[in-house]
């Protein structure tokens, strides 16, 4: 786990995931068009979405 931080404001917090971050999470950025995500009490879950 890295020691990255995101600024938090009234409208939320923004994070950026690099291509290597996505690969670490099992998402191939070269074949994935978008990711869907859910925020749960356990964390954030990402799912690949491919345009057809």
């Amino acid at each position: 786990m890295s020691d990255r931080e995101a600024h938090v404001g009234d409208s939320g917090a923004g994070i950026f995931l690099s291509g290597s971050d996505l690969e670490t999470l099992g998402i191939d950025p070269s074949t994935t068009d978008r990711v869907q995500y859910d925020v749960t009490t356990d964390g954030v879950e990402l799912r690949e979405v491919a345009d057809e």
Side-chain angles (χ1 to χ4, degrees):
M1 182 178 288
S2 69
D3 292 328
R4 291 182 259 181
E5 297 179 356
H7 177 75
V8 176
D10 291 338
S11 62
I15 63 169
F16 175 80
L17 299 174
S18 68
S20 64
D21 291 335
L22 292 170
E23 289 172 343
T24 298
L25 296 170
I27 296 171
D28 183 350
S30 68
T31 59
T32 303
D33 299 308
R34 301 182 316 275
V35 292
Q36 293 178 330
Y37 66 94
D38 290 319
V39 178
T40 69
T41 56
D42 293 326
V44 177
E45 299 174 11
L46 296 176
R47 291 178 305 286
E48 295 179 51
V49 177
D51 285 340
E52 296 180 22

